[in-house]
Amino acid sequence: MTAPAGPAASVESARVLVTGATGAVGSAVVGRLEAAGHEVYGVSRRGAPRPRQFAWHAGREEPPPALRGPWSAVVHCAADTRWNLPAEQAEEANVAPLRAVLALAGPGTHLVHLSSSYVTGLAGDIASHSPDAYRNSYEWSKAAAERLLHTERESADIVRFPIVVGARADGALDRYSGFFWLPSSMCSGAVPALVAEEKALLDIVSTDDVAEHVDRLIAGGPPAGHRLTVLGRGDLAQRVDEAFDTVLDALNDWRAEHGVPLLERLPYVTPQQWNRFYLPFAEQYLDRAQLLRVTAFRAYQGYLSVTEPFDITGRVADTRPVLFRSIRRWAETHETSARRVPRPWKA
Ligand SMILES: NC(=O)c1ccc[n+]([C@@H]2O[C@H](COP(=O)([O-])OP(=O)(O)OC[C@H]3O[C@@H](n4cnc5c(N)ncnc54)[C@H](OP(=O)(O)O)[C@@H]3O)[C@@H](O)[C@H]2O)c1
């Protein structure tokens, strides 16, 4: 799957299209490529009130004429990262847009496709077409997108990475989703326990890690074939309990400064204990709202029980400091949620 870099000369100033340019990762990629001197165009479903930013719902409508190229490089960051879409919608959200983006890329365009370290699902590779081989329809559709690249393009960079937090300098993130359910749930008391394997690995990267890597790829020119890079900490990733302690420390650091009662450490329950004993018991006693929150939380179990490190090709710097800063930054920008005092659970 991995191919050596092609013979292309290094690219000093390229005309680059970034899809998903308003997203958590895409906005960091745009900033980094602009700082490197490239002429960067961005696209997202809703667009943005900035120069060279366009609205286009890729996969659903024709691209605006300004996006037709030619492009030196296209960085495809657009995705719908929700885990619970029905298969057909996940396909429409993560495969159809890639197909539309491929039509904008000529044979000489350097295509960089962003993917997820979790794309290998439960089987450990992207070969299976069956949804059963993946944790959810998001992974399944991202695997289908990678397969599409292999069949439709002779040359492409595929960049996989795990959970994304904010910038290394200050934790800033343009969009808080995914992982940020955790601080929010800890403050609201939405979860009564952490359903996780304490010693599992929670691999994390910062938006800078991805953006800097994409910048280096573009500077080096397109690869001769399909080149896969996997960013992360691998076997040096924080353990789940360490990462959760970092989140708790960051929240309490902010809460102490703002005179809000400190949060207590939540107890750990293994997924097996939870599913076998706690959940059936809880189902008898919790009200509908509590049950909804508890069952929604179930979707995270698969991500908090990964004991095999990702097979990384590029190790990022320690992520504890950036996780701490990102959670503090989340608290600063979500003050109402961060100030909440969890109510004890009672049936
Ligand atoms: N965030 C993570 O933890 C994480 C981890 C691993 C991999 N990834 C991958 O990293 C990439 C970027 O993710 P992200 O977290 O930055 O996502 P995000 O914050 O949810 O942003 C998604 C971006 O894509 C745009 N978009 C979605 N569907 C589109 C479509 N059909 N046509 C045009 N634009 C569309 C959105 O535009 P609107 O806002 O206008 O809808 C937005 O700009 C994705 O490939 C994702 O799979 C993310």
Side-chain angles (χ1 to χ4, degrees):
M1 199 185 284
T2 309
S10 74
V11 178
E12 274 164 22
S13 174
R15 195 165 173 275
V16 188
L17 175 65
V18 177
T19 71
T22 54
V25 179
S27 55
V29 169
V30 168
R32 176 77 194 190
L33 294 179
E34 280 177 348
H38 299 298
E39 185 184 338
V40 184
Y41 292 73
V43 67
S44 54
R45 277 178 292 208
R46 286 166 290 179
R50 287 185 52 204
R52 300 204 286 232
Q53 290 277 339
F54 295 87
W56 175 41
H57 194 143
R60 225 184 239 188
E61 54 195 29
E62 288 297 310
L67 297 185
R68 295 216 173 105
W71 300 104
S72 328
V74 173
V75 186
H76 183 48
C77 309
D80 192 324
T81 57
R82 282 175 295 171
W83 297 342
N84 57 357
L85 293 176
E88 200 178 309
Q89 283 178 37
E91 210 272 345
E92 198 184 300
N94 290 326
V95 186
L98 173 62
R99 208 173 272 120
V101 166
L102 288 178
L104 301 179
T109 303
H110 184 177
L111 189 85
V112 182
H113 172 76
L114 300 197
S115 191
S116 161
S117 303
Y118 297 100
V119 72
T120 52
L122 304 170
D125 61 45
I126 58 161
S128 179
H129 291 238
S130 164
D132 294 341
Y134 302 90
R135 290 180 192 83
N136 51 50
S137 63
Y138 166 66
E139 288 182 2
W140 169 79
S141 63
K142 293 294 282 187
E146 283 199 17
R147 290 196 303 272
L148 180 70
L149 267 184
H150 281 278
T151 53
E152 296 292 312
R153 289 276 310 177
E154 290 196 349
S155 153
D157 264 302
I158 297 172
V159 183
R160 293 183 191 158
F161 47 91
I163 296 161
V164 176
V165 295
R168 286 194 176 266
D170 58 6
L173 197 60
D174 270 28
R175 193 172 290 188
Y176 291 90
S177 54
F179 183 70
F180 291 86
W181 61 271
L182 181 60
S184 166
S185 307
M186 283 166 74
C187 294
S188 70
V191 290
L194 294 170
V195 184
E197 298 287 354
E198 280 175 79
K199 295 300 167 199
L201 294 159
L202 196 66
D203 212 341
I204 286 176
V205 293
S206 94
T207 49
D208 304 321
D209 298 327
V210 180
E212 282 164 21
H213 181 68
V214 169
D215 183 20
R216 278 193 299 272
L217 291 178
I218 304 264
H226 299 109
R227 177 171 53 189
L228 173 69
T229 43
V230 184
L231 304 177
R233 293 282 293 158
D235 56 347
L236 298 185
Q238 279 193 294
R239 303 276 157 185
V240 162
D241 58 350
E242 293 164 356
F244 279 12
D245 282 349
T246 304
V247 172
L248 185 68
D249 289 349
L251 287 174
N252 279 342
D253 192 57
W254 185 88
R255 287 167 78 99
E257 224 172 85
H258 290 79
V260 185
L262 301 191
L263 298 168
E264 284 175 24
R265 201 169 187 259
L266 289 171
Y268 283 93
V269 177
T270 67
Q272 211 186 18
Q273 286 168 326
W274 180 259
N275 296 332
R276 279 224 191 131
F277 306 113
Y278 290 78
L279 190 60
F281 178 78
E283 273 166 353
Q284 293 172 45
Y285 295 104
L286 298 185
D287 66 32
R288 218 177 107 73
Q290 288 173 322
L291 255 184
L292 269 178
R293 284 184 286 172
V294 163
T295 42
F297 188 56
R298 217 174 184 169
Y300 295 98
Q301 288 178 9
Y303 293 94
L304 301 175
S305 322
V306 178
T307 46
E308 275 298 303
F310 289 122
D311 205 1
I312 53 169
T313 62
R315 197 183 310 271
V316 305
D318 186 12
T319 43
R320 189 197 174 275
V322 68
L323 176 58
F324 185 92
R325 283 187 205 114
S326 299
I327 298 295
R328 265 214 57 128
R329 183 71 175 221
W330 172 87
E332 281 155 20
T333 51
H334 295 76
E335 206 173 322
T336 311
S337 303
R339 279 183 179 279
R340 291 176 78 174
V341 177
R343 274 177 300 144
W345 279 70
K346 51 178 190 264

